[in-house]
Structures are given as C-alpha cells and as structure tokens.
Amino acid sequence: MVKNTYMRWRLPLICLLWEIAMIILFGVFVRFDPEADAHWKEEWHQKNLTSDIENDFYFSFPGCPRDDLRGFWLPDDIPPALWLWSCWLQLPPCRLWDPVGSPDAGLVPFFREWKDTHWSGKVKDAGGSMTIHTFGAYFGLTVTRILYRPNLEQSKDKQGSVYHSDLFAMIGTLYLWMYWPSFNSAVSNHGDAQHRAAINTYCSLASCVLTTVAFSSLLQKKGKLDMVHIQNATLAGGVAVGTSAEMMLTPYGSLIVGFLCGIVSTAGFVYLMPFLESKLKIQDTCGIHNLHAMPGLIGGIVGAVTAAAATEEVYGKEGLISAFDFTGDYKDWTPTVQGGFQAAGIFVSLAMALAGGAIVGAILKLPFLGDPADENCFEDDVYWEVPEDEESGLYHMHDPTLKPVTS
C-alpha cells in the first residue's frame, strides 16, 4: 500500500494552527514569574534579598554561571592579549581587576562598559540585533556588491552544498539554538533582566522553528523541507529578539516576533536571494540577509517600540529605572525618548555598515591583492591544501578510504 507523503498543505496547516493557538494561550494565561518580572526590584525589599545571586534563574537555567555569577557564559581566563589589545585601543576597562573578588570582574563588564561608553551611551542592544547582526550583515553585503564579478556564472555550479555537509552544519545549528539565550542574556543586568532575556529568547526561537518548517514545506513545489531553511531560518527568532530580550516583551510577544521572523527569513531564502543576485548583483552565498540582516532590522524595530511603550505600571518605578538606566544625567529621560534613541541606533548601524563595507570592499579590490580567476572562485584548493593535492595521488572526495589514483 502506497501512502501519501505529500505534505505541502498538511504540515504547514498543522504548524501554523498550533503556533497561533500557543500565541493566544500564552497571551491569555502566561505571565512572567515574579523573578523574571521587572517588579523584582520591589520584591528585594519585601523578601529582604541582598544579591542577584538569589534569583532562581541562576539555579534553574542550565547556563553554568561562574562562582560569583557575574560572568555568565563568559569565562575569566581571557588571554592576556585581549586585555593588552583593549588597553592599546584605550577602551575601558584599561586596568587590572581581581578576576574573582572584584564586582566588575570578567569579560561581561568589558562589553557592557564599552557599549555604554561608545555606542551612543543609552541604546539598549543586549543581544546585538543592531550592533552585531544588522551591522555585520549589511557590511558583508556591501563588500560582496563591490567585489561582484559578472563572469562568476562560470563557477556557479560549485556554489552549492552536499548532503553530508548539510548534516554536519545542522550540528552547529543545534548548538546555536541551545545557547542563543545565553548569548542574548550575557550582558544584560543581572537578576530579573537576564532571567527575562533567556525566556524571551527561548520563546522566540521555538515559535520561529514552527513557522520555518511550515513555510519551508509550503514554498517548495513538492512540499519537502529544505535543509538550508532549517539550518538558518530556525535561528532568526533569536536574532530578532536580541534588542528587546531584556525588556518586558512578554512571552507571547516573543512568540509573535519568532512567528514573523520564521516567515520572513524562509521567504527570503526562496524569493529575495535570487532577486539580490539577479537584479542588485549581490551574491549572498550564505543567506546572511535572511538570517541576520532582516531579522536584525526587525529586532531593532521591536526594541524601539517596546522601549517607547514602557510604563511604570508594567516595569515598576525601580524596574523602569534599572531596565533603561534612567540615572545620573539621564534621570529625566522618558520611555518615548529611549524609543527614539533605539530607532536612531538602527540607522547608525546601517550607516556604519554601508560606509565600512564600501571602504573595505574598495581595499580588497586593489589589484596587488591576489584573487582567483572567475572559474576558480568557489574552489578551496586555490588557498587551501586539499587531499587531491597530496603527492601520493588523488583520493575520492566522498570516500577517503579508497586507494589513491595517480594523476
């Protein structure tokens, strides 16, 4: 008996209905635990808490924090060269700290202080939606546009992947998926902010997986899943929630962000990638526009809206001050002003990416920097030693156990 395995409509329908049901249920019934809520600062006084170490996050989340719980996922044993590099560039912190006893120990304060000093001071972007993903993606896309060659069609057939490479790459996707909450929460304020960032990131990632699977099947004529979509678009939710992860986005808000990003990222692989290459002469071989650029922009927008919509009712007075650092010279700031700065951060990231990418692309195009011929642009052996180059002979690329053959 032959069974019907055509899933183009059934699989997407099941995934989308399930996800919509989860968003509704989370919106109606699910709220942050008090220790992940911004009102947690008020509970300090009620419960006589004395340290962020007492937040349940550090006992329940499998993040293996350090002994003093301040270097979450980022170890103290940093190579001395990093510290020397920091001091040479005159970036804070340019002093030696006791790696265990100091309240500012570890690499996390380095990034937080650098960001607060050099990244317009008050733009919140703990997960790097703007400063890492948007900037990095559009920087790279600008470089590749400048380096575009019209004759690369000659080697386009070598641009694709093979099945066993996709399987190994999927291992990387699984690790990234598991540890993305740690990445988004690492430089957040300790206590409820890190707790909240991890929850928001997990919710967004989980939602993104369902919509990625749904649209990967829906957009393929045979209804089969595309491994490239699953490897990449399933992570877009983590990218998009990076800026707002430590804010009171709420679990159902995170589900909505992941839901949208799964659709945008998967559709980008199917429709936008070919358009970029054929019309704009941008060869995005790894799909960074779909995984990093567009989700990063969405993350920046969500962060700006979430910040502008913040209220004392949602955050509590102390929680609002702590979440957005409304202290010192910024004590009179309002959430609306914060939202404006968040929006400005998107344009600053884009401007720096485009300008920097143009400069680097122009440098790389200089003739004295050796580059391969058009027909060899996707060949590893131009710059790398590969088994086929060994003196003993040529090995079969898919089965190295075969005996060598002489050329």
Side-chain angles (χ1 to χ4, degrees):
M1 177 181 176
V2 179
K3 295 186 178 180
N4 184 7
T5 59
Y6 185 74
M7 299 293 291
R8 188 178 184 186
W9 304 109
R10 287 177 290 174
L11 179 60
L13 183 63
I14 292 172
C15 290
L16 293 177
L17 287 177
W18 178 263
E19 186 54 42
I20 292 172
M22 288 298 101
I23 291 174
I24 295 173
L25 291 173
F26 269 61
V28 175
F29 298 108
V30 178
R31 296 295 181 269
F32 282 124
D33 181 87
E35 297 197 4
D37 195 284
H39 289 85
W40 190 59
K41 296 294 181 184
E42 299 171 2
E43 292 203 14
W44 275 49
H45 310 300
Q46 300 174 9
K47 297 183 178 180
N48 295 321
L49 300 177
T50 59
S51 172
D52 292 314
I53 194 174
E54 298 179 66
N55 191 294
D56 187 59
F57 173 66
Y58 301 107
F59 300 95
S60 59
F61 183 71
C64 301
R66 232 180 44 203
D67 290 341
D68 64 357
L69 299 174
R70 293 185 177 273
F72 193 66
W73 269 113
L74 294 174
D76 275 326
D77 52 345
I78 308 163
L82 181 59
W83 291 106
L84 295 175
W85 176 75
S86 167
C87 292
W88 179 66
L89 291 178
Q90 297 182 348
L91 301 178
C94 193
R95 60 184 183 274
L96 295 178
W97 284 325
D98 173 12
V100 176
S102 169
D104 292 323
L107 189 55
V108 170
F110 167 78
F111 284 115
R112 183 182 297 119
E113 190 172 348
W114 185 89
K115 181 178 69 173
D116 288 346
T117 303
H118 296 270
W119 176 233
S120 64
K122 303 303 292 182
V123 175
K124 308 294 287 185
D125 192 25
S129 294
M130 297 180 289
T131 55
I132 295 176
H133 300 287
T134 299
F135 170 81
Y138 283 107
F139 180 98
L141 292 171
T142 304
V143 172
T144 193
R145 175 61 184 88
I146 293 175
L147 298 180
Y148 176 80
R149 301 185 195 178
N151 296 322
L152 285 182
E153 291 289 331
Q154 300 177 26
S155 56
K156 189 175 180 179
D157 60 311
K158 302 173 184 177
Q159 183 179 335
S161 183
V162 292
Y163 183 70
H164 62 268
S165 293
D166 281 333
L167 288 179
F168 279 110
M170 193 63 199
I171 298 174
T173 296
L174 293 174
Y175 274 100
L176 286 169
W177 202 99
M178 290 188 295
Y179 295 137
W180 212 290
S182 296
F183 176 80
N184 279 355
S185 63
V187 298
S188 299
N189 292 331
H190 302 114
D192 65 287
Q194 284 192 328
H195 199 159
R196 192 163 54 248
I199 292 173
N200 282 331
T201 305
Y202 267 132
C203 288
S204 184
L205 284 167
S207 178
C208 189
V209 169
L210 280 176
T211 48
T212 297
V213 170
F215 275 79
S216 180
S217 176
L218 183 64
L219 299 179
Q220 300 296 318
K221 291 182 179 180
K222 295 183 178 180
K224 295 183 179 181
L225 300 178
D226 190 310
M227 182 63 85
V228 173
H229 303 164
I230 306 304
Q231 288 169 356
N232 294 276
T234 52
L235 301 173
V239 174
V241 83
T243 298
S244 57
E246 60 183 344
M247 303 178 191
M248 288 292 287
L249 182 59
T250 72
Y252 80 90
S254 302
L255 289 176
I256 294 174
V257 172
F259 181 91
L260 295 175
C261 281
I263 298 173
V264 170
S265 183
T266 307
F269 277 102
V270 177
Y271 299 114
L272 197 53
M273 246 177 110
F275 174 82
L276 289 177
E277 182 169 355
S278 62
K279 303 299 182 182
L280 301 182
K281 309 303 181 185
I282 296 175
Q283 289 187 309
D284 185 8
T285 57
C286 292
I288 62 170
H289 191 259
N290 313 309
L291 172 56
H292 299 281
M294 292 191 295
L297 287 175
I298 292 173
I301 295 170
V302 171
V305 173
T306 307
T311 63
E312 282 194 14
E313 181 181 357
V314 174
Y315 285 78
K317 185 176 181 178
E318 291 185 53
L320 187 65
I321 294 172
S322 175
F324 297 104
D325 299 325
F326 290 163
T327 58
D329 294 338
Y330 306 97
K331 63 181 179 180
D332 296 326
W333 271 31
T334 64
T336 302
V337 174
Q338 181 68 41
F341 268 73
Q342 294 291 143
I346 302 173
F347 294 100
V348 171
S349 292
L350 282 172
M352 294 180 67
L354 297 176
I359 294 172
V360 171
I363 293 173
L364 292 176
K365 207 168 184 179
L366 294 175
F368 71 88
L369 295 175
D371 53 357
D374 291 343
E375 62 272 15
N376 294 326
C377 276
F378 296 100
E379 293 285 0
D380 290 339
D381 59 5
V382 175
Y383 297 109
W384 294 85
E385 291 288 345
V386 294
E388 287 84 353
D389 291 339
E390 296 294 334
E391 293 183 0
S392 58
L394 299 176
Y395 288 84
H396 192 283
M397 63 178 297
H398 297 297
D399 190 355
T401 61
L402 295 179
K403 293 182 179 181
V405 294
T406 58
S407 57

